[in-house]
PDB file of all heavy atoms in Angstrom:
ATOM      1  N   SER A   1      -7.340  -7.055 -11.165  1.00 96.00           N
ATOM      2  CA  SER A   1      -8.028  -7.331 -12.427  1.00 96.00           C
ATOM      3  C   SER A   1      -7.075  -7.987 -13.420  1.00 96.00           C
ATOM      4  O   SER A   1      -7.503  -8.737 -14.285  1.00 96.00           O
ATOM      5  CB  SER A   1      -8.615  -6.045 -13.018  1.00 96.00           C
ATOM      6  OG  SER A   1      -7.589  -5.094 -13.236  1.00 96.00           O
ATOM      7  N   ASP A   2      -5.767  -7.702 -13.292  1.00 97.00           N
ATOM      8  CA  ASP A   2      -4.734  -8.325 -14.124  1.00 97.00           C
ATOM      9  C   ASP A   2      -3.603  -8.806 -13.212  1.00 97.00           C
ATOM     10  O   ASP A   2      -2.690  -8.047 -12.905  1.00 97.00           O
ATOM     11  CB  ASP A   2      -4.193  -7.340 -15.158  1.00 97.00           C
ATOM     12  CG  ASP A   2      -3.080  -7.933 -16.011  1.00 97.00           C
ATOM     13  OD1 ASP A   2      -2.829  -9.161 -15.922  1.00 97.00           O
ATOM     14  OD2 ASP A   2      -2.443  -7.156 -16.759  1.00 97.00           O
ATOM     15  N   PRO A   3      -3.663 -10.058 -12.760  1.00 95.00           N
ATOM     16  CA  PRO A   3      -2.639 -10.578 -11.846  1.00 95.00           C
ATOM     17  C   PRO A   3      -1.220 -10.581 -12.420  1.00 95.00           C
ATOM     18  O   PRO A   3      -0.260 -10.701 -11.678  1.00 95.00           O
ATOM     19  CB  PRO A   3      -3.099 -12.006 -11.555  1.00 95.00           C
ATOM     20  CG  PRO A   3      -4.517 -12.059 -11.962  1.00 95.00           C
ATOM     21  CD  PRO A   3      -4.706 -11.029 -13.026  1.00 95.00           C
ATOM     22  N   GLU A   4      -1.088 -10.422 -13.728  1.00 96.00           N
ATOM     23  CA  GLU A   4       0.232 -10.410 -14.364  1.00 96.00           C
ATOM     24  C   GLU A   4       0.810  -8.998 -14.482  1.00 96.00           C
ATOM     25  O   GLU A   4       1.928  -8.823 -14.967  1.00 96.00           O
ATOM     26  CB  GLU A   4       0.154 -11.065 -15.743  1.00 96.00           C
ATOM     27  CG  GLU A   4      -0.314 -12.515 -15.720  1.00 96.00           C
ATOM     28  CD  GLU A   4       0.561 -13.402 -14.844  1.00 96.00           C
ATOM     29  OE1 GLU A   4       1.804 -13.279 -14.900  1.00 96.00           O
ATOM     30  OE2 GLU A   4      -0.004 -14.214 -14.088  1.00 96.00           O
ATOM     31  N   ALA A   5       0.075  -7.997 -14.052  1.00 96.00           N
ATOM     32  CA  ALA A   5       0.558  -6.615 -14.121  1.00 96.00           C
ATOM     33  C   ALA A   5       1.741  -6.442 -13.176  1.00 96.00           C
ATOM     34  O   ALA A   5       1.929  -7.242 -12.249  1.00 96.00           O
ATOM     35  CB  ALA A   5      -0.567  -5.657 -13.742  1.00 96.00           C
ATOM     36  N   PRO A   6       2.561  -5.410 -13.385  1.00 94.00           N
ATOM     37  CA  PRO A   6       3.676  -5.153 -12.468  1.00 94.00           C
ATOM     38  C   PRO A   6       3.162  -4.906 -11.043  1.00 94.00           C
ATOM     39  O   PRO A   6       2.057  -4.363 -10.869  1.00 94.00           O
ATOM     40  CB  PRO A   6       4.328  -3.887 -13.032  1.00 94.00           C
ATOM     41  CG  PRO A   6       3.855  -3.787 -14.445  1.00 94.00           C
ATOM     42  CD  PRO A   6       2.510  -4.454 -14.487  1.00 94.00           C
ATOM     43  N   PRO A   7       3.939  -5.319 -10.032  1.00 91.00           N
ATOM     44  CA  PRO A   7       3.496  -5.174  -8.637  1.00 91.00           C
ATOM     45  C   PRO A   7       3.057  -3.758  -8.249  1.00 91.00           C
ATOM     46  O   PRO A   7       2.085  -3.597  -7.523  1.00 91.00           O
ATOM     47  CB  PRO A   7       4.720  -5.608  -7.825  1.00 91.00           C
ATOM     48  CG  PRO A   7       5.449  -6.542  -8.728  1.00 91.00           C
ATOM     49  CD  PRO A   7       5.233  -6.001 -10.119  1.00 91.00           C
ATOM     50  N   ASP A   8       3.734  -2.736  -8.762  1.00 92.00           N
ATOM     51  CA  ASP A   8       3.346  -1.371  -8.401  1.00 92.00           C
ATOM     52  C   ASP A   8       1.964  -1.013  -8.961  1.00 92.00           C
ATOM     53  O   ASP A   8       1.187  -0.303  -8.321  1.00 92.00           O
ATOM     54  CB  ASP A   8       4.399  -0.350  -8.821  1.00 92.00           C
ATOM     55  CG  ASP A   8       4.672  -0.338 -10.321  1.00 92.00           C
ATOM     56  OD1 ASP A   8       4.627  -1.404 -10.954  1.00 92.00           O
ATOM     57  OD2 ASP A   8       4.954   0.757 -10.847  1.00 92.00           O
ATOM     58  N   LYS A   9       1.629  -1.532 -10.138  1.00 96.00           N
ATOM     59  CA  LYS A   9       0.305  -1.299 -10.728  1.00 96.00           C
ATOM     60  C   LYS A   9      -0.772  -2.041  -9.936  1.00 96.00           C
ATOM     61  O   LYS A   9      -1.864  -1.521  -9.713  1.00 96.00           O
ATOM     62  CB  LYS A   9       0.262  -1.765 -12.189  1.00 96.00           C
ATOM     63  CG  LYS A   9       1.237  -1.067 -13.093  1.00 96.00           C
ATOM     64  CD  LYS A   9       0.792   0.329 -13.409  1.00 96.00           C
ATOM     65  CE  LYS A   9       1.729   0.919 -14.450  1.00 96.00           C
ATOM     66  NZ  LYS A   9       1.713   2.363 -14.473  1.00 96.00           N
ATOM     67  N   ILE A  10      -0.453  -3.251  -9.514  1.00 95.00           N
ATOM     68  CA  ILE A  10      -1.391  -4.042  -8.719  1.00 95.00           C
ATOM     69  C   ILE A  10      -1.646  -3.355  -7.383  1.00 95.00           C
ATOM     70  O   ILE A  10      -2.789  -3.257  -6.923  1.00 95.00           O
ATOM     71  CB  ILE A  10      -0.868  -5.482  -8.531  1.00 95.00           C
ATOM     72  CG1 ILE A  10      -0.894  -6.227  -9.875  1.00 95.00           C
ATOM     73  CG2 ILE A  10      -1.673  -6.221  -7.474  1.00 95.00           C
ATOM     74  CD1 ILE A  10      -0.247  -7.586  -9.855  1.00 95.00           C
ATOM     75  N   GLU A  11      -0.597  -2.851  -6.762  1.00 94.00           N
ATOM     76  CA  GLU A  11      -0.740  -2.138  -5.490  1.00 94.00           C
ATOM     77  C   GLU A  11      -1.591  -0.877  -5.669  1.00 94.00           C
ATOM     78  O   GLU A  11      -2.482  -0.596  -4.865  1.00 94.00           O
ATOM     79  CB  GLU A  11       0.627  -1.770  -4.925  1.00 94.00           C
ATOM     80  CG  GLU A  11       0.570  -1.099  -3.580  1.00 94.00           C
ATOM     81  CD  GLU A  11       1.940  -0.808  -2.999  1.00 94.00           C
ATOM     82  OE1 GLU A  11       2.944  -1.424  -3.425  1.00 94.00           O
ATOM     83  OE2 GLU A  11       2.003   0.048  -2.109  1.00 94.00           O
ATOM     84  N   ALA A  12      -1.338  -0.126  -6.720  1.00 96.00           N
ATOM     85  CA  ALA A  12      -2.112   1.094  -6.985  1.00 96.00           C
ATOM     86  C   ALA A  12      -3.593   0.760  -7.176  1.00 96.00           C
ATOM     87  O   ALA A  12      -4.476   1.457  -6.652  1.00 96.00           O
ATOM     88  CB  ALA A  12      -1.556   1.818  -8.206  1.00 96.00           C
ATOM     89  N   GLU A  13      -3.881  -0.311  -7.911  1.00 97.00           N
ATOM     90  CA  GLU A  13      -5.268  -0.720  -8.123  1.00 97.00           C
ATOM     91  C   GLU A  13      -5.930  -1.102  -6.792  1.00 97.00           C
ATOM     92  O   GLU A  13      -7.086  -0.753  -6.536  1.00 97.00           O
ATOM     93  CB  GLU A  13      -5.343  -1.899  -9.094  1.00 97.00           C
ATOM     94  CG  GLU A  13      -6.754  -2.387  -9.322  1.00 97.00           C
ATOM     95  CD  GLU A  13      -6.840  -3.626 -10.215  1.00 97.00           C
ATOM     96  OE1 GLU A  13      -5.808  -4.116 -10.719  1.00 97.00           O
ATOM     97  OE2 GLU A  13      -7.964  -4.110 -10.396  1.00 97.00           O
ATOM     98  N   PHE A  14      -5.190  -1.801  -5.941  1.00 94.00           N
ATOM     99  CA  PHE A  14      -5.720  -2.194  -4.630  1.00 94.00           C
ATOM    100  C   PHE A  14      -6.164  -0.966  -3.835  1.00 94.00           C
ATOM    101  O   PHE A  14      -7.256  -0.934  -3.280  1.00 94.00           O
ATOM    102  CB  PHE A  14      -4.669  -2.988  -3.845  1.00 94.00           C
ATOM    103  CG  PHE A  14      -5.063  -3.251  -2.419  1.00 94.00           C
ATOM    104  CD1 PHE A  14      -5.972  -4.260  -2.113  1.00 94.00           C
ATOM    105  CD2 PHE A  14      -4.534  -2.501  -1.382  1.00 94.00           C
ATOM    106  CE1 PHE A  14      -6.344  -4.509  -0.797  1.00 94.00           C
ATOM    107  CE2 PHE A  14      -4.896  -2.742  -0.072  1.00 94.00           C
ATOM    108  CZ  PHE A  14      -5.804  -3.751   0.225  1.00 94.00           C
ATOM    109  N   PHE A  15      -5.321   0.044  -3.801  1.00 93.00           N
ATOM    110  CA  PHE A  15      -5.668   1.225  -3.021  1.00 93.00           C
ATOM    111  C   PHE A  15      -6.789   2.030  -3.666  1.00 93.00           C
ATOM    112  O   PHE A  15      -7.608   2.617  -2.962  1.00 93.00           O
ATOM    113  CB  PHE A  15      -4.429   2.073  -2.737  1.00 93.00           C
ATOM    114  CG  PHE A  15      -3.640   1.501  -1.595  1.00 93.00           C
ATOM    115  CD1 PHE A  15      -2.582   0.652  -1.832  1.00 93.00           C
ATOM    116  CD2 PHE A  15      -3.996   1.768  -0.287  1.00 93.00           C
ATOM    117  CE1 PHE A  15      -1.878   0.077  -0.783  1.00 93.00           C
ATOM    118  CE2 PHE A  15      -3.313   1.195   0.773  1.00 93.00           C
ATOM    119  CZ  PHE A  15      -2.254   0.353   0.526  1.00 93.00           C
ATOM    120  N   THR A  16      -6.853   2.036  -4.961  1.00 94.00           N
ATOM    121  CA  THR A  16      -7.945   2.730  -5.641  1.00 94.00           C
ATOM    122  C   THR A  16      -9.283   2.056  -5.353  1.00 94.00           C
ATOM    123  O   THR A  16     -10.269   2.730  -5.037  1.00 94.00           O
ATOM    124  CB  THR A  16      -7.696   2.764  -7.162  1.00 94.00           C
ATOM    125  OG1 THR A  16      -6.485   3.473  -7.412  1.00 94.00           O
ATOM    126  CG2 THR A  16      -8.843   3.432  -7.898  1.00 94.00           C
ATOM    127  N   LYS A  17      -9.297   0.713  -5.415  1.00 94.00           N
ATOM    128  CA  LYS A  17     -10.550  -0.020  -5.258  1.00 94.00           C
ATOM    129  C   LYS A  17     -10.887  -0.386  -3.812  1.00 94.00           C
ATOM    130  O   LYS A  17     -12.037  -0.295  -3.395  1.00 94.00           O
ATOM    131  CB  LYS A  17     -10.511  -1.313  -6.078  1.00 94.00           C
ATOM    132  CG  LYS A  17     -10.550  -1.094  -7.565  1.00 94.00           C
ATOM    133  CD  LYS A  17     -10.561  -2.416  -8.296  1.00 94.00           C
ATOM    134  CE  LYS A  17     -10.708  -2.207  -9.783  1.00 94.00           C
ATOM    135  NZ  LYS A  17     -10.720  -3.485 -10.501  1.00 94.00           N
ATOM    136  N   GLU A  18      -9.885  -0.841  -3.058  1.00 91.00           N
ATOM    137  CA  GLU A  18     -10.140  -1.415  -1.734  1.00 91.00           C
ATOM    138  C   GLU A  18      -9.869  -0.465  -0.568  1.00 91.00           C
ATOM    139  O   GLU A  18     -10.448  -0.625   0.500  1.00 91.00           O
ATOM    140  CB  GLU A  18      -9.290  -2.684  -1.541  1.00 91.00           C
ATOM    141  CG  GLU A  18      -9.473  -3.733  -2.615  1.00 91.00           C
ATOM    142  CD  GLU A  18     -10.850  -4.364  -2.608  1.00 91.00           C
ATOM    143  OE1 GLU A  18     -11.499  -4.390  -1.550  1.00 91.00           O
ATOM    144  OE2 GLU A  18     -11.287  -4.826  -3.681  1.00 91.00           O
ATOM    145  N   ARG A  19      -8.968   0.485  -0.738  1.00 89.00           N
ATOM    146  CA  ARG A  19      -8.598   1.400   0.354  1.00 89.00           C
ATOM    147  C   ARG A  19      -8.542   2.848  -0.145  1.00 89.00           C
ATOM    148  O   ARG A  19      -7.542   3.532   0.009  1.00 89.00           O
ATOM    149  CB  ARG A  19      -7.233   1.029   0.943  1.00 89.00           C
ATOM    150  CG  ARG A  19      -7.124  -0.361   1.534  1.00 89.00           C
ATOM    151  CD  ARG A  19      -7.903  -0.489   2.842  1.00 89.00           C
ATOM    152  NE  ARG A  19      -7.619  -1.736   3.512  1.00 89.00           N
ATOM    153  CZ  ARG A  19      -8.216  -2.896   3.246  1.00 89.00           C
ATOM    154  NH1 ARG A  19      -9.125  -2.970   2.312  1.00 89.00           N
ATOM    155  NH2 ARG A  19      -7.920  -3.984   3.914  1.00 89.00           N
ATOM    156  N   PRO A  20      -9.634   3.327  -0.728  1.00 89.00           N
ATOM    157  CA  PRO A  20      -9.610   4.684  -1.295  1.00 89.00           C
ATOM    158  C   PRO A  20      -9.398   5.783  -0.259  1.00 89.00           C
ATOM    159  O   PRO A  20      -8.959   6.871  -0.595  1.00 89.00           O
ATOM    160  CB  PRO A  20     -10.967   4.808  -1.987  1.00 89.00           C
ATOM    161  CG  PRO A  20     -11.838   3.820  -1.293  1.00 89.00           C
ATOM    162  CD  PRO A  20     -10.930   2.694  -0.894  1.00 89.00           C
ATOM    163  N   SER A  21      -9.670   5.503   1.018  1.00 86.00           N
ATOM    164  CA  SER A  21      -9.495   6.533   2.043  1.00 86.00           C
ATOM    165  C   SER A  21      -8.045   6.661   2.518  1.00 86.00           C
ATOM    166  O   SER A  21      -7.722   7.569   3.288  1.00 86.00           O
ATOM    167  CB  SER A  21     -10.399   6.256   3.244  1.00 86.00           C
ATOM    168  OG  SER A  21      -9.984   5.083   3.918  1.00 86.00           O
ATOM    169  N   SER A  22      -7.173   5.779   2.072  1.00 89.00           N
ATOM    170  CA  SER A  22      -5.769   5.836   2.489  1.00 89.00           C
ATOM    171  C   SER A  22      -5.125   7.133   2.014  1.00 89.00           C
ATOM    172  O   SER A  22      -5.170   7.481   0.839  1.00 89.00           O
ATOM    173  CB  SER A  22      -4.988   4.650   1.914  1.00 89.00           C
ATOM    174  OG  SER A  22      -3.601   4.822   2.133  1.00 89.00           O
ATOM    175  N   LEU A  23      -4.520   7.847   2.944  1.00 90.00           N
ATOM    176  CA  LEU A  23      -3.816   9.075   2.576  1.00 90.00           C
ATOM    177  C   LEU A  23      -2.515   8.775   1.838  1.00 90.00           C
ATOM    178  O   LEU A  23      -2.116   9.520   0.958  1.00 90.00           O
ATOM    179  CB  LEU A  23      -3.529   9.914   3.824  1.00 90.00           C
ATOM    180  CG  LEU A  23      -4.759  10.393   4.586  1.00 90.00           C
ATOM    181  CD1 LEU A  23      -4.338  11.120   5.846  1.00 90.00           C
ATOM    182  CD2 LEU A  23      -5.640  11.249   3.720  1.00 90.00           C
ATOM    183  N   LEU A  24      -1.848   7.675   2.203  1.00 91.00           N
ATOM    184  CA  LEU A  24      -0.573   7.316   1.568  1.00 91.00           C
ATOM    185  C   LEU A  24      -0.760   6.700   0.188  1.00 91.00           C
ATOM    186  O   LEU A  24       0.084   6.846  -0.679  1.00 91.00           O
ATOM    187  CB  LEU A  24       0.204   6.316   2.429  1.00 91.00           C
ATOM    188  CG  LEU A  24       0.817   6.834   3.707  1.00 91.00           C
ATOM    189  CD1 LEU A  24       1.519   5.689   4.443  1.00 91.00           C
ATOM    190  CD2 LEU A  24       1.782   7.954   3.451  1.00 91.00           C
ATOM    191  N   GLN A  25      -1.839   5.943   0.018  1.00 92.00           N
ATOM    192  CA  GLN A  25      -2.096   5.218  -1.231  1.00 92.00           C
ATOM    193  C   GLN A  25      -0.955   4.271  -1.591  1.00 92.00           C
ATOM    194  O   GLN A  25      -0.589   4.120  -2.755  1.00 92.00           O
ATOM    195  CB  GLN A  25      -2.401   6.180  -2.380  1.00 92.00           C
ATOM    196  CG  GLN A  25      -3.745   6.869  -2.258  1.00 92.00           C
ATOM    197  CD  GLN A  25      -4.900   5.894  -2.404  1.00 92.00           C
ATOM    198  OE1 GLN A  25      -5.066   5.290  -3.444  1.00 92.00           O
ATOM    199  NE2 GLN A  25      -5.698   5.735  -1.364  1.00 92.00           N
ATOM    200  N   ARG A  26      -0.399   3.641  -0.571  1.00 93.00           N
ATOM    201  CA  ARG A  26       0.649   2.632  -0.754  1.00 93.00           C
ATOM    202  C   ARG A  26       0.720   1.769   0.496  1.00 93.00           C
ATOM    203  O   ARG A  26       0.185   2.135   1.536  1.00 93.00           O
ATOM    204  CB  ARG A  26       2.013   3.265  -1.016  1.00 93.00           C
ATOM    205  CG  ARG A  26       2.537   4.085   0.161  1.00 93.00           C
ATOM    206  CD  ARG A  26       3.999   4.458  -0.042  1.00 93.00           C
ATOM    207  NE  ARG A  26       4.484   5.324   1.007  1.00 93.00           N
ATOM    208  CZ  ARG A  26       4.882   4.942   2.210  1.00 93.00           C
ATOM    209  NH1 ARG A  26       4.820   3.661   2.564  1.00 93.00           N
ATOM    210  NH2 ARG A  26       5.338   5.809   3.089  1.00 93.00           N
ATOM    211  N   MET A  27       1.399   0.634   0.375  1.00 93.00           N
ATOM    212  CA  MET A  27       1.626  -0.223   1.531  1.00 93.00           C
ATOM    213  C   MET A  27       2.583   0.474   2.496  1.00 93.00           C
ATOM    214  O   MET A  27       3.483   1.205   2.077  1.00 93.00           O
ATOM    215  CB  MET A  27       2.246  -1.559   1.114  1.00 93.00           C
ATOM    216  CG  MET A  27       1.336  -2.468   0.358  1.00 93.00           C
ATOM    217  SD  MET A  27       0.095  -3.146   1.476  1.00 93.00           S
ATOM    218  CE  MET A  27      -1.023  -3.815   0.268  1.00 93.00           C
ATOM    219  N   ILE A  28       2.383   0.227   3.764  1.00 93.00           N
ATOM    220  CA  ILE A  28       3.298   0.729   4.781  1.00 93.00           C
ATOM    221  C   ILE A  28       4.500  -0.206   4.795  1.00 93.00           C
ATOM    222  O   ILE A  28       4.357  -1.430   4.701  1.00 93.00           O
ATOM    223  CB  ILE A  28       2.606   0.742   6.151  1.00 93.00           C
ATOM    224  CG1 ILE A  28       1.405   1.687   6.114  1.00 93.00           C
ATOM    225  CG2 ILE A  28       3.574   1.130   7.257  1.00 93.00           C
ATOM    226  CD1 ILE A  28       0.440   1.475   7.256  1.00 93.00           C
ATOM    227  N   GLU A  29       5.676   0.360   4.907  1.00 93.00           N
ATOM    228  CA  GLU A  29       6.891  -0.447   5.003  1.00 93.00           C
ATOM    229  C   GLU A  29       7.099  -0.879   6.458  1.00 93.00           C
ATOM    230  O   GLU A  29       6.800  -0.103   7.381  1.00 93.00           O
ATOM    231  CB  GLU A  29       8.101   0.349   4.520  1.00 93.00           C
ATOM    232  CG  GLU A  29       8.063   0.692   3.038  1.00 93.00           C
ATOM    233  CD  GLU A  29       8.173  -0.534   2.146  1.00 93.00           C
ATOM    234  OE1 GLU A  29       8.799  -1.536   2.538  1.00 93.00           O
ATOM    235  OE2 GLU A  29       7.608  -0.485   1.038  1.00 93.00           O
ATOM    236  N   PRO A  30       7.600  -2.090   6.696  1.00 93.00           N
ATOM    237  CA  PRO A  30       7.821  -2.545   8.060  1.00 93.00           C
ATOM    238  C   PRO A  30       8.673  -1.580   8.895  1.00 93.00           C
ATOM    239  O   PRO A  30       8.434  -1.419  10.093  1.00 93.00           O
ATOM    240  CB  PRO A  30       8.523  -3.901   7.881  1.00 93.00           C
ATOM    241  CG  PRO A  30       8.013  -4.397   6.569  1.00 93.00           C
ATOM    242  CD  PRO A  30       7.891  -3.152   5.719  1.00 93.00           C
ATOM    243  N   ASP A  31       9.641  -0.912   8.259  1.00 95.00           N
ATOM    244  CA  ASP A  31      10.475   0.009   9.043  1.00 95.00           C
ATOM    245  C   ASP A  31       9.690   1.228   9.528  1.00 95.00           C
ATOM    246  O   ASP A  31      10.057   1.865  10.515  1.00 95.00           O
ATOM    247  CB  ASP A  31      11.736   0.418   8.284  1.00 95.00           C
ATOM    248  CG  ASP A  31      11.464   1.196   7.014  1.00 95.00           C
ATOM    249  OD1 ASP A  31      10.386   1.051   6.427  1.00 95.00           O
ATOM    250  OD2 ASP A  31      12.364   1.962   6.601  1.00 95.00           O
ATOM    251  N   GLU A  32       8.577   1.550   8.879  1.00 94.00           N
ATOM    252  CA  GLU A  32       7.732   2.647   9.350  1.00 94.00           C
ATOM    253  C   GLU A  32       7.021   2.251  10.650  1.00 94.00           C
ATOM    254  O   GLU A  32       6.856   3.081  11.553  1.00 94.00           O
ATOM    255  CB  GLU A  32       6.726   3.049   8.279  1.00 94.00           C
ATOM    256  CG  GLU A  32       7.396   3.693   7.075  1.00 94.00           C
ATOM    257  CD  GLU A  32       6.463   3.960   5.931  1.00 94.00           C
ATOM    258  OE1 GLU A  32       5.833   3.002   5.421  1.00 94.00           O
ATOM    259  OE2 GLU A  32       6.367   5.132   5.538  1.00 94.00           O
ATOM    260  N   ILE A  33       6.621   1.003  10.751  1.00 93.00           N
ATOM    261  CA  ILE A  33       6.035   0.507  11.991  1.00 93.00           C
ATOM    262  C   ILE A  33       7.117   0.421  13.062  1.00 93.00           C
ATOM    263  O   ILE A  33       6.909   0.817  14.207  1.00 93.00           O
ATOM    264  CB  ILE A  33       5.345  -0.848  11.772  1.00 93.00           C
ATOM    265  CG1 ILE A  33       4.158  -0.658  10.826  1.00 93.00           C
ATOM    266  CG2 ILE A  33       4.901  -1.459  13.095  1.00 93.00           C
ATOM    267  CD1 ILE A  33       3.521  -1.920  10.351  1.00 93.00           C
ATOM    268  N   ALA A  34       8.300  -0.056  12.670  1.00 95.00           N
ATOM    269  CA  ALA A  34       9.407  -0.165  13.617  1.00 95.00           C
ATOM    270  C   ALA A  34       9.776   1.195  14.209  1.00 95.00           C
ATOM    271  O   ALA A  34      10.135   1.285  15.389  1.00 95.00           O
ATOM    272  CB  ALA A  34      10.621  -0.798  12.940  1.00 95.00           C
ATOM    273  N   SER A  35       9.660   2.251  13.428  1.00 94.00           N
ATOM    274  CA  SER A  35       9.968   3.587  13.942  1.00 94.00           C
ATOM    275  C   SER A  35       9.025   3.973  15.076  1.00 94.00           C
ATOM    276  O   SER A  35       9.446   4.562  16.076  1.00 94.00           O
ATOM    277  CB  SER A  35       9.875   4.626  12.818  1.00 94.00           C
ATOM    278  OG  SER A  35      10.881   4.415  11.868  1.00 94.00           O
ATOM    279  N   LEU A  36       7.744   3.650  14.923  1.00 92.00           N
ATOM    280  CA  LEU A  36       6.801   3.951  16.003  1.00 92.00           C
ATOM    281  C   LEU A  36       7.071   3.073  17.214  1.00 92.00           C
ATOM    282  O   LEU A  36       6.998   3.543  18.353  1.00 92.00           O
ATOM    283  CB  LEU A  36       5.353   3.801  15.534  1.00 92.00           C
ATOM    284  CG  LEU A  36       4.300   4.165  16.577  1.00 92.00           C
ATOM    285  CD1 LEU A  36       4.471   5.592  17.102  1.00 92.00           C
ATOM    286  CD2 LEU A  36       2.910   3.989  16.011  1.00 92.00           C
ATOM    287  N   VAL A  37       7.398   1.811  16.990  1.00 93.00           N
ATOM    288  CA  VAL A  37       7.742   0.917  18.103  1.00 93.00           C
ATOM    289  C   VAL A  37       8.941   1.468  18.858  1.00 93.00           C
ATOM    290  O   VAL A  37       8.944   1.513  20.100  1.00 93.00           O
ATOM    291  CB  VAL A  37       8.017  -0.519  17.604  1.00 93.00           C
ATOM    292  CG1 VAL A  37       8.602  -1.387  18.705  1.00 93.00           C
ATOM    293  CG2 VAL A  37       6.741  -1.145  17.045  1.00 93.00           C
ATOM    294  N   ALA A  38       9.961   1.935  18.134  1.00 95.00           N
ATOM    295  CA  ALA A  38      11.147   2.502  18.778  1.00 95.00           C
ATOM    296  C   ALA A  38      10.781   3.730  19.607  1.00 95.00           C
ATOM    297  O   ALA A  38      11.271   3.911  20.726  1.00 95.00           O
ATOM    298  CB  ALA A  38      12.198   2.854  17.734  1.00 95.00           C
ATOM    299  N   TYR A  39       9.901   4.576  19.075  1.00 93.00           N
ATOM    300  CA  TYR A  39       9.454   5.759  19.824  1.00 93.00           C
ATOM    301  C   TYR A  39       8.738   5.348  21.108  1.00 93.00           C
ATOM    302  O   TYR A  39       9.041   5.841  22.192  1.00 93.00           O
ATOM    303  CB  TYR A  39       8.529   6.624  18.957  1.00 93.00           C
ATOM    304  CG  TYR A  39       7.717   7.608  19.765  1.00 93.00           C
ATOM    305  CD1 TYR A  39       8.313   8.737  20.312  1.00 93.00           C
ATOM    306  CD2 TYR A  39       6.366   7.382  20.006  1.00 93.00           C
ATOM    307  CE1 TYR A  39       7.576   9.627  21.085  1.00 93.00           C
ATOM    308  CE2 TYR A  39       5.620   8.273  20.767  1.00 93.00           C
ATOM    309  CZ  TYR A  39       6.227   9.383  21.310  1.00 93.00           C
ATOM    310  OH  TYR A  39       5.502  10.251  22.065  1.00 93.00           O
TER     311      TYR A  39
END
């Protein structure tokens, strides 16, 4: 709704509006995927 807002606010809005079922309510970091790949 405000593209000039700080990135963390934009991310929070995305999860509130677009991904409300997300348990993490944040983007996954690539190293989190890499950990599963390593396993």
Side-chain angles (χ1 to χ4, degrees):
S1 59
D2 178 9
E4 300 303 317
D8 60 325
K9 300 285 187 201
I10 292 173
E11 183 177 340
E13 178 184 358
F14 172 78
F15 280 95
T16 299
K17 290 182 176 180
E18 305 293 334
R19 300 289 190 276
S21 67
S22 170
L23 298 176
L24 288 179
Q25 289 293 297
R26 64 169 175 81
M27 290 288 167
I28 298 163
E29 294 293 331
D31 64 334
E32 292 173 302
I33 295 171
S35 293
L36 183 57
V37 170
Y39 163 74

